[in-house]
């Protein structure tokens, strides 16, 4: 266990807080000091409010002193991706469009974290409106990967993964539309969980593609991810796609759900384009489960080749619709160069949005436009049905699927300049969003050059307990989660 | 689906209410042409008789009681308005 407070786990820190060996103010001060020390090299945060965090920490210490501590998250500094609303705090989506926006309300996950006593800490950088796989699309500059600051942390939740890996938070939240939690978790060597669609409320999450978006945790261990998930999951009448289901004790499930499990290996996920070092690490993870008595089965997801195209039709169509609200009228950037009211929309949007957002709005508008709707959007929704059926068919025989999270380790800032090559970073993660499944990325090794590698476990709908237990079994037998970057 | 997709960038930019520069138009038309070419392979999938999936959540027809709930105060609702006057959002003149 590391001695530095900023690298310890929620589980460990909660025990120290309960035992009165530590106060939340001390812990929060340590995280603030660490952030101030490394932030010039990482740039994980768009902004942070140290005095606000310390006030929350003092309130937590007062609760604990009065015997009213609220559980494992009480007093733990948790960072939020800058697409999740917190009353009175900036909410920018890393866009010039919302550069001066201050949220007038809390997201449901924010309310839940406050109820759990967490110290909400900072606004984490991301690709603009969560569109990207490297965090280079932020209007406020890129984030560096703590393992090699000349490389990207992944994206779109790259601030969330980098802050955690660098010790600038104890856990963080991100959002995942096509891999935006799992891919940056893999590239930064931390755990990242995308819950089943509908498990966590999207109320107060800036919408990108509403049928795909889910909020989820980044954590140092699977146990910590289970703790945060337990706090943020649950039905919310403010999100009409929120699913009514009992929220189990995910942390307890790590020990009560025991293998051996049946694991499926989708053959399409080990094809051309997969980095050989990543393939080797994931093969070792497969061998580990096999040695534990798990049944390993090759499965096929025959429509995998169509996931990327299906995703880019559906996600851009939904984005073009969702981003229609940024018109310069009620909030957000308003152009001063407009000739008239209609031109005000076009000029405000041109000045407020960055290139990738514009590209996706154009593509989404095109696939929804008259004469093309059936050929693109409707067809993509039908192929989506086939993609989901592939997964559900595979789950008749297996408990979970094991795959690489990303085909490549962290790449150099600026290395992937054309959109299509960057889109290919998501080939192992987007099928999960299209099918609405839960999936987790867990660290499973390092390349020879010292870059983290992640393995993805994909679970059955709303079977997060099982998924977390399977990931925990691997993690407990390996020491990847105990390694920290030298900064 | 057409075999050679043509993206009329001026038309689409107008629909999207995006004032693009000539340079942006040229770049996006070329980049999105490549992406559309890639997307064309969806036409190879046999989707006969397949129902479309709007979203993967098994939730349909959510009803709620029609009960008034407290909302944002006027000050909070206007806090992010680019221009305001007399508790209203000010906009450019739309009718001469």
């Amino acid at each position: 266990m590391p001695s530095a407070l900023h690298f310890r786990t929620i589980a460990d820190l909660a025990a120290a807080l309960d035992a009165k060996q530590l106060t939340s103010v001390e812990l929060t001060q340590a995280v603030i000091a660490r952030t101030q020390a490394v932030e010039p090299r990482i740039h994980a945060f768009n902004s942070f409010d140290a005095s606000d965090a310390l006030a929350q920490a003092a309130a937590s210490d007062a609760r604990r002193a009065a015997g009213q501590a609220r559980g494992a998250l009480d007093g733990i500094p948790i960072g939020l991706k800058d697409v999740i609303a917190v009353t009175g705090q900036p909410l920018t989506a890393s866009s010039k469009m919302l550069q001066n926006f201050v949220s007038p309300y809390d997201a449901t996950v924010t309310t839940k974290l406050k109820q759990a006593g967490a110290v909400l800490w900072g606004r984490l950088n991301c690709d603009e409106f969560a569109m990207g796989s490297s965090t280079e699309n932020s209007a406020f500059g890129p984030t560096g990967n703590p393992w090699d600051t000349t490389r990207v942390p992944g994206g779109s939740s790259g601030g969330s993964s980098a802050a955690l890996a660098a010790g600038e938070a104890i856990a963080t939240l991100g959002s995942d539309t096509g891999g935006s939690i799992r891919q940056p978790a893999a590239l930064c060597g931390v755990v990242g969980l995308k819950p089943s669609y509908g498990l966590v409320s999207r109320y107060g999450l800036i919408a990108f593609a509403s049928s795909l978006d889910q909020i989820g945790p980044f954590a140092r261990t699977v146990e910590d991810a289970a703790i945060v998930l337990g706090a943020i999951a649950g039905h919310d009448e403010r999100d009409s796609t929120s699913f009514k289901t009992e929220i189990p004790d995910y942390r307890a499930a790590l020990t009560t759900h025991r293998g051996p499990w049946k694991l499926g290996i989708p053959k399409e996920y080990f094809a051309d384009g997969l980095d050989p070092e990543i393939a080797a690490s994931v093969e070792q993870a497969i061998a580990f489960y096999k040695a534990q008595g798990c049944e390993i089965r090759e499965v096929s997801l025959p429509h995998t080749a169509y996931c990327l195209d299906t995703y880019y039709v559906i996600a851009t169509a939904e984005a073009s619709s969702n981003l229609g609200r940024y018109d310069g009228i009620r909030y957000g950037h308003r152009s001063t160069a407009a000739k008239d009211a209609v031109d005000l929309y076009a000029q405000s949007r041109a000045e407020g949005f960055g290139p990738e957002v514009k590209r996706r709005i154009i593509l989404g508008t095109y696939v929804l436009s008259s004469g093309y709707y059936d050929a693109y959007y409707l067809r993509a929704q039908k192929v989506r049905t086939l993609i989901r059926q592939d997964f559900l068919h595979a789950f008749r025989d297996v408990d979970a699927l094991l795959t690489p999270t990303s085909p490549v380790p962290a790449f150099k800032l600026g290395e992937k300049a054309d959109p299509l090559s960057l889109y290919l970073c998501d080939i192992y993660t987007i099928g999960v969003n299209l099918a609405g499944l839960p999936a987790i990325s867990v660290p499973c090794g390092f390349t020879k050059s010292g870059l983290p590698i992640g393995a993805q476990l994909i679970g059955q709908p709303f079977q997060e307990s099982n998924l977390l237990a399977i990931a925990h079994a691997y993690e407990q037998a390996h020491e990847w989660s105990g390694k920290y970057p030298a900064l | 689906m057409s075999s050679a997709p043509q993206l009329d960038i001026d038309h689409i930019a107008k629909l999207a209410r995006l004032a693009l520069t000539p340079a942006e138009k040229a770049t996006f038309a070329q980049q999105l042409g490549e992406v559309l070419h890639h997307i064309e392979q969806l036409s190879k999938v046999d989707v006969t008789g397949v129902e479309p999936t709007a979203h993967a959540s098994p939730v349909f027809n959510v009803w709620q009681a029609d009960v008034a709930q407290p909302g944002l105060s006027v000050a909070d609702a206007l806090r992010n308005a680019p221009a305001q006057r007399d508790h209203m959002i000010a906009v450019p003149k739309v009718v001469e």
Side-chain angles (χ1 to χ4, degrees):
Chain A
M1 187 179 300
S3 54
L5 287 174
H6 56 256
F7 276 138
R8 287 164 71 173
T9 63
I10 296 171
D12 168 39
L13 291 165
L17 288 164
D18 279 341
K20 312 261 192 271
Q21 295 159 351
L22 176 70
T23 67
S24 175
V25 168
E26 289 167 349
L27 171 60
T28 304
Q29 280 171 336
V31 167
I32 293 168
R34 172 68 175 178
T35 302
Q36 286 166 339
V38 301
E39 196 54 8
R41 282 170 288 161
I42 303 296
H43 186 234
F45 289 82
N46 285 335
S47 62
F48 54 78
D49 186 339
S51 60
D52 173 65
L54 287 168
Q56 295 177 63
S60 169
D61 287 335
R63 277 194 298 275
R64 192 166 263 108
Q68 292 167 347
R70 295 172 182 173
L73 290 182
D74 203 337
I76 303 291
I78 296 185
L80 270 61
K81 184 178 181 180
D82 204 357
V83 289
I84 298 172
V86 179
T87 305
Q89 294 289 332
L91 179 63
T92 72
S94 292
S95 178
K96 280 201 288 189
M97 180 60 83
L98 293 174
Q99 187 159 16
N100 300 311
F101 189 89
V102 175
S103 179
Y105 67 91
D106 280 339
T108 296
V109 294
T110 302
T111 304
K112 284 173 172 277
L113 286 180
K114 284 181 175 175
Q115 285 165 351
V119 173
L120 302 181
W121 167 234
R123 313 294 310 154
L124 292 161
N125 198 14
C126 55
D127 286 299
E128 184 177 1
F129 284 99
M131 296 176 187
S133 306
S134 66
T135 313
E136 293 168 288
N137 294 332
S138 168
F140 310 129
T143 294
N145 189 313
W147 295 91
D148 176 349
T149 54
T150 67
R151 291 175 185 272
V152 303
S156 68
S157 312
S160 301
S161 61
L164 182 62
E168 300 175 86
I170 305 303
T172 59
L173 292 187
S175 61
D176 190 316
T177 305
S180 282
I181 291 174
R182 291 158 287 154
Q183 185 256 16
L187 269 50
C188 287
V190 296
V191 174
L193 173 68
K194 185 214 99 73
S196 302
Y197 183 79
L199 185 68
V200 176
S201 171
R202 292 181 294 109
Y203 178 77
L205 169 69
I206 291 183
F208 160 16
S210 303
S211 80
L212 303 165
D213 298 340
Q214 268 291 289
I215 296 171
F218 288 86
R220 299 213 159 95
T221 60
V222 175
E223 182 180 25
D224 280 6
I227 292 169
V228 178
L229 180 66
I232 63 173
H235 178 256
D236 177 16
E237 64 178 24
R238 287 172 156 172
D239 172 1
S240 61
T241 60
S242 171
F243 190 59
K244 279 185 183 153
T245 182
E246 280 295 307
I247 302 305
D249 185 337
Y250 295 114
R251 191 181 186 182
L254 300 179
T255 45
T256 57
H257 285 237
R258 291 169 183 276
W261 296 281
K262 287 184 191 168
L263 297 182
I265 312 300
K267 61 180 179 187
E268 291 85 0
Y269 283 53
F270 291 81
D272 292 348
L274 175 59
D275 180 280
E277 289 187 88
I278 293 177
S281 284
V282 176
E283 294 289 348
Q284 283 173 18
I286 295 168
F288 162 79
Y289 283 111
K290 199 170 182 178
Q292 298 297 303
C294 294
E295 186 181 327
I296 306 293
R297 239 183 235 210
E298 184 180 276
V299 298
S300 177
L301 302 170
H303 294 90
T304 297
Y306 302 107
C307 283
L308 191 67
D309 297 317
T310 303
Y311 175 82
Y312 275 95
V313 171
I314 290 173
T316 58
E318 295 185 9
S320 75
S321 172
N322 273 324
L323 272 61
R325 72 191 66 180
Y326 303 103
D327 54 12
I329 301 294
R330 293 152 298 159
Y331 50 80
H333 174 75
R334 180 183 285 192
S335 173
T336 54
K339 307 192 288 284
D340 55 43
V342 175
D343 192 42
L344 180 73
Y345 304 151
Q347 294 295 343
S348 298
R349 291 161 66 77
E351 293 169 13
F353 291 138
E356 182 62 22
V357 175
K358 289 178 184 173
R359 244 188 315 269
R360 296 201 195 193
I361 289 173
I362 293 289
L363 183 60
T365 304
Y366 175 72
V367 301
L368 288 176
S369 64
S370 177
Y372 296 98
Y373 178 89
D374 285 2
Y376 289 110
Y377 189 64
L378 189 62
R379 175 166 279 268
Q381 285 191 312
K382 289 178 179 176
V383 179
R384 182 176 185 181
T385 302
L386 297 173
I387 290 165
R388 180 168 159 84
Q389 285 172 355
D390 282 354
F391 281 103
L392 297 181
H393 183 78
F395 284 135
R396 286 185 203 156
D397 297 324
V398 298
D399 299 300
L401 304 174
L402 177 56
T403 79
T405 305
S406 165
V408 291
F411 44 93
K412 291 271 188 188
L413 287 155
E415 181 183 326
K416 292 188 188 290
D418 74 292
L420 206 52
S421 77
L422 203 52
Y423 296 172
L424 288 166
C425 293
D426 299 329
I427 51 170
Y428 302 140
T429 48
I430 50 182
V432 164
N433 298 76
L434 291 166
L437 304 171
I440 189 168
S441 181
V442 288
C444 78
F446 289 87
T447 65
K448 287 190 198 77
S449 56
L451 299 172
I453 298 172
Q456 174 178 236
L457 286 155
I458 303 169
Q460 300 182 4
F462 299 103
Q463 299 303 309
E464 273 79 358
S465 288
N466 229 5
L467 180 68
L468 288 160
I470 296 168
H472 182 70
Y474 173 83
E475 181 190 66
Q476 289 300 295
H478 297 82
E479 291 184 349
W480 311 123
S481 297
K483 297 200 188 305
Y484 304 97
L487 270 170
Chain B
M1 199 178 285
S2 66
S3 55
Q6 285 297 317
L7 194 149
D8 179 348
I9 192 83
D10 290 307
H11 174 60
I12 300 300
K14 187 178 171 219
L15 290 179
R17 296 286 187 269
L18 264 179
L20 300 180
T21 65
E24 282 178 322
K25 284 179 188 174
T27 308
F28 291 168
Q30 185 256 325
Q31 289 171 333
L32 293 175
E34 287 169 20
V35 172
L36 280 175
H37 182 71
H38 204 274
I39 286 172
E40 281 298 300
Q41 64 160 333
L42 286 180
S43 65
K44 290 189 252 166
V45 186
D46 181 3
V47 293
T48 314
V50 178
E51 289 290 318
T53 295
H55 62 72
S57 169
V59 179
F60 303 96
N61 283 352
V62 178
W63 297 94
Q64 278 177 29
D66 185 12
V67 179
Q69 305 263 356
L72 296 179
S73 68
V74 171
D76 282 342
L78 288 176
R79 180 173 181 170
N80 291 290
Q84 55 176 293
R85 199 168 63 213
D86 302 332
H87 292 165
M88 291 179 283
I89 294 167
V91 297
K93 195 191 285 185
V94 286
V95 180
E96 289 299 328

